Amino acid sequence: MDRTAARHSRAEYARRMNRVLDHIDRHLDAPLDLAALAEVAHFSPYHFHRLFAGWMRETLGDYLRRRRLEVGAHLLAQRPAMPVLEVALTVGFGSGEAFARAFKLQFGVTPSAWRSDTPARQAALLARVRQPQDSNPDQASSKRDQAGPDGGGHDAGSCDEMENEMDVKLVELAPVKVAYLRYIGPYGPGIGVFWRETVGPWLRANGLEGRACYGIGLDDPSVTPPEKCRYDACVEIPDGFVPGGAALPATLPGGRYAVTTFRGAPATIGAAWIELCGAWLPGSGLQYDARPSFEYYAPEGRTDPVTGEFSCELCIPVKPL
């Protein structure tokens, strides 16, 4: 097989496997058997378990358990009024007891203890990123170590380095049709490389340069292993556009979002996300809902070639407590 054919083959595998990962996240509360997921991917059930394990470096069963527990941990932290049993059922466990056993095995504490410790965890994160000399890029220090079309790696720097104070507005956003390419690996500089070396050429080849872009971190790096974290680099697409290569179409859901403008160096955006989610949100009378958070990069956005500073909007989906 020549290089072009091999490249197309790898892209098709990526499309099919990413469809499976998206399907799993949308149906965590339902039975997810191997045969049904193989059908989503259009692969033989006989071979699918080996293909999945080779792609994700973990078995399908281990992946399902991990995703259910990670989403459960997020719900426990961000929805304080949601009963533990409801959390358990929402992520596909048959009982609160089964969820509690699996949760403690994964995280070392009970679901209730995890929830009650949430303010202390958030305070520790805020204290860490507010230290002026703290430039530790450990991804566990940031909910959103991301990078956008500027191509820079975003680490969790000091909030004191941000140009302006955080001004958060509540905005009703319309749904947006996008195409996305997915990166799997540690958040941070690798995402900048992904935008520059993979996404940029794809945008140029498909005539999509100059369109609005979005960056979506799908996992919480404080609970998901670095090598398992997923990030979608998205671009707004016109009606009728059919993505090629490894890209897949999606719709960013509309609705109410808390939005703040960020401007600064790539190393400070992680701190901005922590400030927004860990300091502003708890005192807002609002909570996360199930839609994704994202960074919005306007078409007219520019990166300072000397300092590397850029601007984007940080958007988190919210609903009343």
Side-chain angles (χ1 to χ4, degrees):
M1 182 181 292
D2 62 30
R3 290 184 178 180
T4 300
R7 185 166 59 250
H8 287 315
S9 178
R10 285 193 293 270
E12 179 60 20
Y13 265 74
R15 287 169 59 88
R16 294 191 191 190
M17 298 307 289
N18 284 326
R19 276 199 298 262
V20 171
L21 301 187
D22 294 341
H23 180 88
I24 288 171
D25 272 5
R26 290 193 300 268
H27 299 88
L28 286 176
D29 61 340
L32 291 165
D33 61 72
L34 184 146
L37 294 175
E39 185 175 350
V40 171
H42 299 295
F43 283 127
S44 162
Y46 180 78
H47 296 293
F48 181 68
H49 69 288
R50 294 187 182 89
L51 292 172
F52 188 93
W55 186 265
M56 292 302 299
R57 298 296 188 265
E58 61 186 323
T59 68
L60 177 60
D62 287 344
Y63 179 83
L64 290 173
R65 186 180 307 106
R66 176 172 65 79
R67 284 299 300 146
R68 284 175 163 139
L69 291 170
E70 289 170 356
V71 173
H74 176 75
L75 292 174
L76 288 166
Q78 300 299 333
R79 302 191 189 180
M82 191 175 190
V84 173
L85 177 58
E86 185 179 348
V87 172
L89 297 177
T90 299
V91 297
F93 282 85
S95 69
E97 291 79 8
F99 175 67
R101 286 195 300 270
F103 193 94
K104 187 169 185 179
L105 189 63
Q106 180 80 3
F107 297 111
V109 296
T110 66
S112 296
W114 177 272
R115 168 172 277 165
S116 64
D117 191 47
T118 295
R121 288 197 310 273
Q122 291 177 337
L125 283 173
L126 286 168
R128 184 175 179 180
V129 301
R130 283 170 172 169
Q131 294 175 23
Q133 300 305 315
D134 183 6
S135 59
N136 184 350
D138 181 352
Q139 77 158 19
S141 68
S142 173
K143 172 71 172 105
R144 290 287 185 267
D145 253 355
Q146 295 188 13
D150 62 291
H154 296 356
D155 299 323
S158 168
C159 290
D160 295 334
E161 298 171 16
M162 283 186 281
E163 189 173 295
N164 301 309
E165 285 189 18
M166 185 167 286
D167 178 23
V168 182
K169 296 180 173 62
L170 297 179
V171 180
E172 290 290 328
L173 298 180
V176 179
K177 292 181 180 179
V178 298
Y180 71 88
L181 290 165
R182 178 164 292 167
Y183 165 91
I184 299 179
Y187 292 164
I191 293 179
V193 175
F194 180 69
W195 274 101
R196 186 170 58 252
E197 297 184 358
T198 300
V199 182
W202 185 87
L203 294 177
R204 290 190 291 274
N206 287 272
L208 296 173
E209 285 186 296
R211 290 183 169 269
C213 290
Y214 304 79
I216 307 175
L218 299 171
D219 296 296
D220 183 344
S222 68
V223 296
T224 300
E227 70 278 6
K228 306 293 185 184
C229 286
R230 300 162 302 151
Y231 173 94
D232 287 347
C234 311
V235 61
E236 199 167 320
I237 56 175
D239 290 339
F241 179 83
V242 179
L248 284 169
T251 299
L252 292 183
R256 196 182 197 196
Y257 284 81
V259 179
T260 188
T261 298
F262 168 85
R263 179 162 184 82
T268 66
I269 196 168
W273 273 110
I274 291 175
E275 192 77 13
L276 177 63
C277 301
W280 179 85
L281 184 60
S284 68
L286 302 168
Q287 62 179 319
Y288 271 111
D289 74 5
R291 293 168 289 145
S293 299
F294 55 82
E295 294 168 3
Y296 167 70
Y297 298 90
E300 64 274 13
R302 295 289 183 271
T303 298
D304 188 305
V306 177
T307 66
E309 289 192 351
F310 68 101
S311 63
C312 68
E313 292 184 341
L314 312 184
C315 307
I316 58 174
V318 294
K319 65 179 183 178
L321 276 173

